[in-house]
Each structure stands twice: as C-alpha cells, then as structure tokens.
C-alpha cells in the first residue's frame, strides 16, 4: 500500500503542483525493503510533496535548527484527504511526526529510524545499499579511526548502544563457520553509518573481504558503494583492488578504469592493475590495455618496484591467449599504419610481450594453425625473433604426451628457424630438440642439431653426447650410438671411458646381441686399455641372459669376481632372474644365499626372482607365501636390469607373476583374490598388471570384457595401452574366431602411434591365413595348390622392417615361447608359414620358406645356427609327414631333441642321469612327438614309439594329454589291445568322471570335448578323448569276436589290466556319428 501511495505522490502530485524537484525521482515497482518494518520514512518523497503536506503558513517559513517545531493542528493533516485506515498505526504516526517537525528534526528522525534486527526485507527491485534521499543529499563520508578495535575505545567513541551495535558488527565480520549474508552485513554497516559512528580501519578491510566472497549483483554494488563512503585520504590499495574487481564483475570497464586512474598514482602495489589488464586483453579493449601498459613501462624504466602485471594474464588458457595475441598484433599493425612507428611503439611492445606470454602457456592444448598464424603475424611488426621460435618449439614439445601433432609442429618450427640464417638457437633449445629427435630415432634430425651446435656454439656439450647416446641406446639404435661415441672421443678424448662406453653395451643389450658386446669389450681394451666396471659387467650378464646363454653369463660373473669387482644386489638379481626364467629354483636359491652370506641386503629384484622360480616350478603356495612376507621385508630397491632401464622397483612385479600364472591356469577366482590383496596392500598397478587381468579373461573366451579393461579401467587410471595389451586382446579374439576385431585393434594401434611388435605381427599373420584358407576352400578345386596370398603379404611387410631394434622394449613377449628373443622375433613367422603350407601339402612352398628362413637368420646374425628352433622343426615335420618323407621326419625329430637338450638341461648336469630336464621345458617336445609317433606308425615301427617314450620320461620330459591319447589310439589301431588299454588306464582314466556326469547321452560327446583343455597340447588334467574311447571300443569288439590264442588277449585280461577303462568303454552310448560309423561299423 505504501508503494501505491508513493506512486500516487510521484505522478499525481506532479500534475497538481506543476513543480519538478531537482532530486531525481526513483520509481518503485515492487515492495520496498522497508515496507515490512513499516519504515515509511525510508521512502524517498519528492521535496515538492513535502511542501504539499505542510500547511501554507509553514511552507513559506524558513526552517532553522534552533527554532522549535511549529505545532500543526491534526485537522490540517486530515484535510489532506488521506485514508488513515489504510496505514499501519506506527506509519501514520511517523507521517504526522515528519509533517509537524522541521527539516532538521525530520532528518534526525530519519537517521534514528533503525531497522530492528531479524526484520524481514524484500529486495527484488529496491536495494538496501541505496540510502534514503536525505542521506544521499547529505553525502557524508564515514569516519575511520586507526586502532579503534579496543573495546574501551569503542565505548568511549560510541557509547552504550553504539558500542553494542558495533560489537555485533565486529562479530559478524569475524564469524567462523557459515558467515552472515552480505545483505545483513551491509544493513548493519548502514545502521552504524547512519548513527555517524567511526569505523576501525581493520573492520573496513574485513568488510571488503566479506563482500567479495560472493559475486551477487547486490554485493558488487555494495563493494563499490563502500569505497565511495571512505574518504579519499583513507583509501588504500586493498580497497581499490576490491572495488576494481567488483566493477569488472559488473562489466563496467569505464568505471574500473576510473578507479584504476585514481589509484595508480597513489600506490606502487595495486593488484587491481593486473586484473583490469587481463580483462582488457580478454575483451580486446586495446585502448585501455595500452594505457595500462604505458604506466607499467614508465615505472619499469624508472626502476620502481611494482607487482607482476602478468599475474592474472597467466591464468588465461593457451587457446584464448593465442587468439588474443593475434588480435593484439592486428591492432599494432593498424596503429603503425595510421601513426608513426615510434608512436605505435608501446602497442608493438605490448603485442610482442603478449605473444611471448601466449607461447609460454603450458596449461592446455591449442590450435596449431592459430599458433603458426600468430608467429607469422608477429613478423609484420618486427623481424624474425629467435626467442619467439624457441618459445613456440618448447611449448609444442611440452604437449607431446597429449598428441604427436605437437611434436611434429615443433620439428617444423625448428626447421623454419634454421632456414633463417640470422637466428641463433641457444643451448636450451638445442638440448630440447636433441631429446625429441632421439625419442623419434630421427638420425637426420640428430645430426642437424649437432651441426647447429658446431656452427653456433663451437661443439656440442658433453651432456648432449651422453644424453643422445643413452636415449638412442634405449631404442637399440647401435649404429647411431656408435657414430656418436666415435665423434665424442674425437672431440673430448677418451677420459672416463668406462662411463662413456656404457651406452654401447646397453644398445647391445636392447638388441640381444651378445657377440657384438664381446667384440666391443675387446676393441676398447685394445684401443684404450679399457676394463669393464660393475655397470658394464651387469649389462654384459643381462645380455647373455636375453639370448639364453647361461654358461656365458656365469663365466662373466666369475671373471667379474676375478677382476676384484665387488658385485652388488643388482648383479645377483640379474643372475637369479636368469635361472628363475629357466625354472631352476635350486640355482636361484643358491645365488640368493650366496648374496646374503657376503653381506648384501636383499633387493626387490632378488625376491622377484625367487617368486618367479617357484611359479615356473608349479609351487604356487610357496610363491604366494614369499610375496606376502616381502610386504614387510626391508628390501633394497636395486634394479634387476642395467640402470638405463625404466623398470619399476616396487613390489608390483612379484604380484604380477602370481596374476599371470593364475590367468594361464584359468583360475579366475584366485586372480580376483590377488587383485583385491594388491589393493589392500597398496601395491601399485602397472602395465603388466592390466595385461595379466586381460589375459585371465581372454583364456576364458571373454575378450570383450578384457577390452573394457583397456578402454575403461586403464583410461580411468591414466594408464597408456602398449603393444603387449593389444597382443593379448588380439589373441583373445583369435581364440573366439573374430578376425574383424583383430584387424580393428591393429588399426587402432596405428592410429595411436603404437609400434607393433613381432607378437602383434604374428596375430595378423594368423588372421590373414584364416582368410586365405576360407577363400581357397570356396574358390579353388581340390587339385589346385594352396595359396596364402594375404599371409605372405603380411609376412613380407614384417620382414621388410626386420631389425633387432624391435627387441628394445623390455617385458613379456608372447609367441616367443621357449626360444631366446633374438631368434624368436623372426623364426616365429617361418614356423607358422611352414606349418600352414605343410598342412595344405604345398611342399614347394615349404622348401622356399625354409630357404628364406636360412637367409634371414644369416642376415640378422651373420651366421646360421646348426639347429633351428623346436617350433620350426615341428612345422617341418608336419610337411615331411604329409609328403610321406618319413626319413626326413625322423631327422627333424632328432634335431628337435638336440635343440631341446641345449635349452632344457641344467648347467653342469650329465644328461645320462635321470631327471635332468628343467621343469619349464618338460613339455617342449610335445608337438614334434605327435608327428613322430604318426610317422613311426606309418613306417610300421610302432615298437620304437615305446622306446622313445621311455627315453623322454627318463630324461624328465612329460607327455601331454594329447600325446597319451594319440599313443593309445595308435596302439589300438595296430591291434595292441592290452598296451592300448594299459596306456589309457595309467595315464588318462584318472580324470574320467563317468558317463553319468555328462547327463543326456546325445550331448555327452560335445561335453567331453569341452572338458579337454584347449591348451592340452602341453598340459591339462588326465582325460581320455572321445576318439580314444571309440578306438578302444573297437579293440574290445575285436577281442570279443576272436578266439583265444590270437595274441590279443582275452576280455578277462583287459578287465584285469584296465578295469576303469573297460567300464568307460562298456558304458559308452551308441552315437550315429562319423567316427563311430567309421571305426566301430567298418568291416
């Protein structure tokens, strides 16, 4: 109602009196905040309406503070026609009091009308920061007292009521927890100000801080109003900082600049200058930006200390900063065009400084086109500048991890800089480019940087040579490392040759070239009198380990001892790891005890080797116990590889060994339990951990779930996928017969610049061969030779880039199997292709592939080993057997036995003694044995099979489930009834659950096949195949139908020698399938 009356007074009264007040009229479209406390006196009434309310006699009178107020009869107010019943009683009384009083008393009355605490306010349109008109007209600044925070001084200054109000005000300013609202705080401030009470300067400071905690329009306006209330001499830089920030939040740039102009001459430290500088840059207000920049330059030239004007600008993201720098250059170009070059100098320097700041931003990615455009534009206001190119190159190099495109742009900018003959790159830039070129293995770029070192800095520094050699040695680039080493010797001499020669040995280690490492030692000894130090010995021993030559590794260790070089825990860790991979726990434990006896503290790598030795010997429980004990052991963090490696020294590796073992054994429950235990023990995950988890799902035919680990979990943990993860996934999709998924993963690797290893190439080779087989089955008639066109193309591409540098990445290498990595990385291609062509009876192709293998081995190693890998010999046996060449098959068998003896026997063990085969290699001959038994059967030499099997078991080899089934089938086909049943009874029937276990007889055959582990070639619980039981059933029928004395025994003999096998044969359901029709129902 008060608002409606005020509107009536404002509009209707104007037409009646025809008199306009000098005070601007304020329009209220909603309830005033003072309405709820009935503070009618807080409503701005025009001066002409005050005259209208007064009686004529008093209107013309001159008011004086000394004169008493004239009495106005009540009838004079009633005669105005006001509707008294519409007004609250207190409001009407206030109006009467206001009308009957003089102006001074009315103003005193207005000041004394304080809003009660906890009164309800309404501020949708009206603003409590707007004082009443009477206060505006007064325009009194507040009084500020230094050091008035003492309560005694407050009482003296304020008195009782004022002291209580001010104490509440101080409490609100310093309230902890949830502070009072800005509106309530401002109202209290206004009350104190209305009482003309002084303020403590510290309280004004806290009030600014409280109002700045929120950026609501009300508090922003209050912040600026507070500065206006402070007398000019009492304003300090903090007051202006808050007011400038409030003005910028209100987007009042002109107001902020006015405040800045007022404050800048008075204060040296003004944070608001940095904020307004940032604002003008972001909004392209270059006129104001140049003004601030000139002030900054003037003080800088006068050597006056000032805050960093770029402090706020540094928070701008790189993309926006680059765009604004380009626009600043455009503005500088326009200024040069319309004025003299000197007049535009400040804007030019501002634009160039902004470009420099934009190039130093490292907080996010940006558009390369914008960056290049900015650099080209900068050349329009000054000649090409080496510092700008340097900043641009370093900025791109800092973002290489986000995307390779930044690295490519860095190279482009560097070469652009080299094309400018007047620009001289400094040492920092050249060292950064060396790191980049060495990471890319770009020999041309490396030599470009070295040339710049010589042209501009006389010679590359020693640190540059060492950096390059170490980085390139990690990639196995021996030729470049060797060239740099010779150049280094020519420049700096052969001082400290032991330290400077280490990259040569490490490059050999990464390439798995032990012979070359020995030759380097001999050449350095002859040229410089070189003797290896401990680090060099460790690298040599690790190199022998990679090529699987334990004898040379132990010989190097003994020479190390003889040279009076004291081995460290890292030395023993390398040796223990070598024996652990060979599943020789006795030798591993002996080295561990030897290290402890010499006073060496156990290291993480030594315990890792103990765990690996136990795992490869199928002693899982003991390995798990060692891992648990290692969590509380005080272990040295010595590396198990040379110090140039990036191997983690935490306890993660031993836990990964447990995970990988359980994954290969298909024990998902234990994989989950180990993963949970790693979380509890705070053991960090690494790339091998994720690969082991993916493997556990792939072996259970769940590659889709494994793919989620890569796409979801690894991305969440910011772990970058490697070629190993893709190899595991590709193998999983191959197992589920999804070749398209394999190709998708291969394309994804290329998109992410992940170099494929020979493991990935082997997966692609198998995918291509499957497509070729399907195409030949559909299109080629039976008499046409098999063509593996796609597989040969994949193999050709892999061999075209064949280099030992592929072996540089350390870690697990699937498809290497039992072979040393220096042989497996190329022999695996030929093994599979020979097997493929041999299976398809393309014997000419087999011969061609073997000849190509010989030439490739000679190209890689310079010589050819006398005995090829076992896998390749097994593939050759398939080809020779299918060709009916049984003599060649037997020759390959003997070569495979010779090769396996070299790999599988313990050091210094007589092979004539039983059990000399290491546990890891006990299944190494399972693949060639199957072909050899078939060849002996075809040659009518079945008795030789028993002799071969006895020899293998005496040496310590083990036959797989597939071998025993094949052996039993051969004996059954040859009519050896009792031996056939005995083999099944002794080696297979223990895992037989009975036909009742499979339920419906119709599906029993398929369930039997599922019980057989797909990895049954080399392991799996004993279990007779369905085909074996069918062949034994045929033997049973033959014995039953033939008279006694035929040499096949009787049914009683079979029952006595193999009772469980007899039961399985007798209970076998009758299936109408191909094998029973062929074997049981033949004549």
């Amino acid at each position: 109602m008060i608002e409606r009356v005020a509107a009536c007074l404002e509009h209707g009264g104007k037409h009646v009196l025809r008199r306009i007040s000098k005070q601007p009229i304020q329009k209220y479209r909603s309830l005033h905040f003072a309405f709820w406390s009935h503070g009618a006196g807080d409503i701005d009434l025009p001066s002409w309406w005050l005259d209208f309310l007064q009686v004529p006699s008093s209107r013309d009178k001159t008011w004086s503070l000394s004169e008493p107020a004239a009495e106005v009869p009540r009838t004079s107010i009633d005669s105005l026609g006001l509707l008294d019943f519409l007004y609250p009683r207190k409001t009407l009384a206030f109006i009467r009091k206001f009308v009957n009083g003089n102006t001074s008393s009315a103003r005193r009355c207005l000041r004394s009308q304080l809003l009660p605490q906890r009164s309800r306010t309404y501020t949708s349109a009206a603003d409590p920061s707007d004082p009443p008109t009477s206060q505006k007209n007064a325009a009194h600044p507040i009084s500020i007292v230094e050091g008035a925070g003492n309560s005694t001084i407050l009482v003296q200054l304020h008195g009782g009521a004022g002291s209580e109000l001010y104490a509440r005000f101080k409490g609100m300013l310093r309230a902890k927890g949830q502070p009072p609202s800005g509106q309530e705080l401002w109202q209290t401030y206004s009350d104190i100000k209305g009482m003309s009470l002084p303020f403590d300067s510290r309280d004004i400071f806290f009030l600014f801080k409280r109002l700045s905690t929120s950026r609501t329009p009300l508090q922003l306006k209050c912040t600026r109003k507070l500065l206006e209330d402070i007398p000019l001499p009492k304003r300090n830089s903090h007051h202006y900082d808050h007011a400038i920030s409030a003005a910028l939040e209100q987007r009042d740039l002109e107001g902020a600049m006015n405040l800045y102009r007022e404050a800048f001459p008075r204060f040296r430290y003004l944070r608001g200058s940095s904020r307004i500088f940032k604002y003008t840059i972001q909004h392209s207000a270059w006129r104001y930006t140049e003004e601030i920049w000139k002030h900054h330059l003037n003080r800088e030239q006068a050597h006056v200390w000032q805050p960093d004007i770029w402090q706020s600008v540094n928070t701008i993201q790189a993309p926006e900063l680059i765009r604004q720098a380009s626009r600043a250059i455009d503005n500088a170009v326009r200024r040069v065009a319309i004025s003299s070059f000197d007049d535009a100098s400040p804007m030019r320097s501002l634009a160039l400084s902004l470009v420099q700041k934009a190039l130093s931003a490292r907080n996010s990615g940006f558009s390369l086109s914008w960056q290049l455009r900015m650099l080209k534009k900068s050349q329009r206001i000054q000649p090409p500048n080496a510092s700008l190119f340097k900043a641009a190159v370093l900025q791109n190099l800092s973002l290489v991890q986000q995307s390779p495109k930044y690295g490519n742009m860095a190279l482009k900018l560097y070469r652009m800089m080299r094309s400018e003959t007047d620009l001289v790159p400094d040492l920092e830039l050249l060292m950064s480019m060396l790191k980049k070129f060495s990471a890319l293995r770009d020999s041309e770029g490396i030599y470009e940087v070295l040339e710049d070192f010589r042209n501009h800095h006389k010679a590359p520094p020693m640190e540059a040579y060492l950096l390059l050699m170490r980085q390139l040695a990690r990639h196995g680039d021996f030729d470049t490392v060797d060239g740099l080493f010779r150049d280094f010797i020519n420049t700096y001499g052969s001082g400290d040759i032991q330290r400077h020669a280490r990259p040569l040995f490490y490059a050999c280690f990464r390439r798995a070239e032990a012979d070359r490492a020995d030759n380097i030692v001999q050449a350095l000894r002859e040229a410089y009198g070189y003797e290896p130090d401990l680090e060099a010995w460790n690298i040599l021993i690790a190199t022998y380990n990679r090529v699987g030559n334990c004898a040379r590794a132990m010989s190097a260790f003994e020479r190390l001892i003889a040279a009076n070089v004291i081995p460290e825990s890292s030395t023993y860790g390398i040796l223990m790891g070598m024996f652990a991979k060979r599943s020789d726990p006795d030798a591993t434990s002996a080295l561990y005890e030897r290290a402890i006896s010499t006073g060496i503290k156990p290291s993480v790598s030594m315990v890792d080797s103990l765990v690996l030795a136990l795992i490869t010997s199928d002693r899982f429980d003991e390995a798990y116990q060692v891992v648990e004990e290692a969590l509380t052991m005080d272990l040295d963090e010595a590396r198990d590889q040379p110090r140039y490696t990036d191997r983690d020294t935490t306890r993660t590796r031993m836990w990964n060994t447990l995970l990988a073992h359980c994954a290969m054994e298909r024990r998902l429950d234990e994989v989950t339990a180990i993963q949970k235990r790693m979380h509890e023990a705070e053991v960090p995950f690494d790339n091998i951990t994720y690969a082991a988890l993916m493997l556990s799902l792939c072996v259970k035919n769940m590659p889709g779930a494994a793919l989620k680990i890569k796409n979801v979990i690894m991305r969440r943990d910011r772990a970058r996928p490697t070629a190993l993860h893709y190899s595991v996934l590709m193998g999983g999709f191959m197992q589920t017969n999804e070749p398209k998924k394999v190709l998708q993963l291969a394309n994804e690797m290329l998109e992410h610049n992940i170099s494929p290893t020979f493991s990935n190439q082997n997966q692609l080779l198998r995918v291509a061969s499957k497509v070729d087989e399907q195409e030949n089955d559909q299109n080629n008639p039976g008499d046409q030779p098999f063509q593996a066109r796609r597989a040969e193309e994949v193999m050709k591409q892999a061999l075209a880039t064949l280099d030992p540098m592929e072996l540089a990445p350390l870690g697990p290498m699937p498809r290497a199997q039992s072979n040393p990595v220096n042989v497996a990385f190329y022999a695996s291609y030929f093994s599979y292709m020979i097997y493929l062509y041999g299976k398809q009876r393309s014997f000419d192709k087999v011969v061609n592939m073997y000849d190509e293998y010989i030439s490739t081995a000679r190209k890689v190693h310079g010589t050819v080993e006398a005995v090829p890998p076992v896998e390749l010999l097994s593939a050759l046996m398939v080809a020779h057997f299918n060709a009916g060449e049984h003599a060649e098959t037997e020759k390959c068998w003997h070569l495979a036995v010779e090769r396996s003896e070299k790999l599988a026997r313990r050091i210094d063990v007589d092979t004539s003694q039983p059990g000399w085969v290491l546990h890891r290699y006990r299944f190494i001959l399972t693949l060639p044995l199957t072909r050899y038994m078939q060849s002996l059967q075809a040659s009518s030499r079945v008795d030789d099979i028993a002799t071969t099997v006895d020899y293998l078991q005496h040496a310590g080899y083990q036959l797989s489930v597939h071998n025993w089934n094949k052996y039993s089938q051969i004996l059954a086909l040859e009519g050896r009834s009792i031996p056939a049943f005995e083999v099944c009874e002794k080696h297979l029937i223990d895992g037989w659950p009975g036909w009742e276990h499979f339920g419906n007889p119709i599906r029993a055959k398929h369930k039997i096949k599922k019980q057989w582990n797909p990895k049954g070639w080399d392991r799996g619980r004993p279990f007779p195949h369905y085909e074996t039981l069918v062949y034994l059933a045929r033997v049973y029928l033959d014995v039953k139908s033939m008279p006694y004395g035929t040499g096949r025994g009787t049914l009683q003999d079979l029952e006595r020698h193999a009772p469980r096998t007899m039961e399985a044969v007798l209970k076998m359901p009758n299936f109408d399938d191909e094998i029973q029709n062929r074997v049981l129902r033949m004549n």
Side-chain angles (χ1 to χ4, degrees), residues 430-449:
L430 292 176
M431 291 295 291
S432 300
M433 293 310 302
L434 271 183
K435 294 178 182 179
K436 176 61 182 176
F437 283 127
S438 61
L440 296 175
R441 290 177 283 175
D442 187 345
S443 300
E444 180 181 356
I446 289 172
Y447 287 110
E448 286 179 4
V449 176

Side-chain angles (χ1 to χ4, degrees), residues 107-108 111 131-144 189-190 192-197 199 225-232 235:
R107 289 175 178 175
R108 286 195 301 271
R111 287 198 300 268
T133 306
S134 57
Q135 294 185 26
K136 288 184 178 181
N137 292 337
H140 291 305
I142 62 175
S143 175
I144 297 180
Y189 161 79
S190 300
I192 298 174
K193 176 187 173 186
M195 297 175 66
S196 299
L197 301 179
F199 288 88
K225 182 64 176 64
L226 179 59
L227 181 69
E228 296 175 3
D229 289 346
I230 301 174
L232 184 62
R235 299 176 187 177

Side-chain angles (χ1 to χ4, degrees), residues 383-400:
N385 187 282
S387 62
L388 293 184
F389 275 103
K390 171 189 172 182
V393 171
L394 296 180
Q395 184 182 47
N396 283 282
L397 290 178
S398 68
L399 300 173
V400 169

Side-chain angles (χ1 to χ4, degrees), residues 386-607:
S387 62
L388 293 184
F389 275 103
K390 171 189 172 182
V393 171
L394 296 180
Q395 184 182 47
N396 283 282
L397 290 178
S398 68
L399 300 173
V400 169
Q401 296 297 329
Q402 294 187 15
S403 174
K405 65 181 182 180
Y406 294 108
N408 298 332
M409 177 56 74
L411 302 180
K412 179 179 179 180
L413 292 173
Y414 175 71
R415 291 194 164 104
M416 286 174 58
M417 180 181 177
R418 293 186 82 243
S419 64
E420 301 288 343
T421 57
D422 297 335
L423 301 184
V424 178
D426 60 5
L427 292 176
E428 181 186 4
L429 176 60
L430 292 176
M431 291 295 291
S432 300
M433 293 310 302
L434 271 183
K435 294 178 182 179
K436 176 61 182 176
F437 283 127
S438 61
L440 296 175
R441 290 177 283 175
D442 187 345
S443 300
E444 180 181 356
I446 289 172
Y447 287 110
E448 286 179 4
V449 176
L450 293 179
E451 181 183 355
D452 287 341
F453 269 120
R454 295 187 182 94
N455 293 337
H456 303 295
H457 304 283
K458 294 185 179 179
M462 184 179 297
E463 293 76 11
Y465 278 111
L466 297 178
L467 170 69
L468 273 178
M469 289 191 291
R470 289 170 183 168
Q471 290 289 341
L472 295 173
R474 283 192 176 96
H475 300 296
D477 191 353
F478 178 83
D479 294 335
T480 307
V481 172
D482 184 49
L484 289 171
F485 175 76
R486 297 177 187 277
D487 195 9
F488 174 81
I489 294 296
N490 294 332
T491 305
Y492 291 100
S494 59
D496 199 6
I497 189 67
Q498 290 183 330
R499 176 191 174 200
H500 301 151
R502 288 172 191 164
L504 294 173
F505 298 116
Y506 192 64
C508 295
F509 164 73
R510 288 283 191 161
R511 297 168 63 92
E513 294 180 337
D515 294 336
R516 175 176 278 179
D518 288 339
N519 296 334
I520 292 173
V521 173
Q522 186 63 30
L524 292 176
R525 182 179 288 120
E526 295 175 357
Y528 309 106
Y530 170 81
E531 289 298 333
D533 58 356
L534 177 61
E535 185 66 24
W537 281 117
N538 286 346
I539 299 175
L540 289 172
I541 294 173
T543 307
Y544 300 142
N545 178 18
R546 291 203 81 190
V547 300
N549 198 325
C550 295
R552 291 174 68 180
M554 289 304 298
S555 174
F557 179 70
E558 297 302 333
R559 283 184 288 155
L560 178 152
I561 299 295
N564 295 324
V565 179
I566 301 176
E568 296 179 350
S569 57
S570 58
T571 310
Y572 284 99
I574 296 171
L575 289 171
M576 290 175 63
M578 176 180 65
F579 287 106
K581 285 190 293 185
R582 290 169 53 83
S583 70
D584 193 346
D586 296 334
T588 307
S589 300
L591 283 169
Y592 183 82
E593 297 298 334
R594 179 175 178 178
I596 299 300
S597 64
T598 57
I600 293 178
K601 182 180 178 180
S603 67
V604 175
S605 63
M606 293 169 65
V607 179

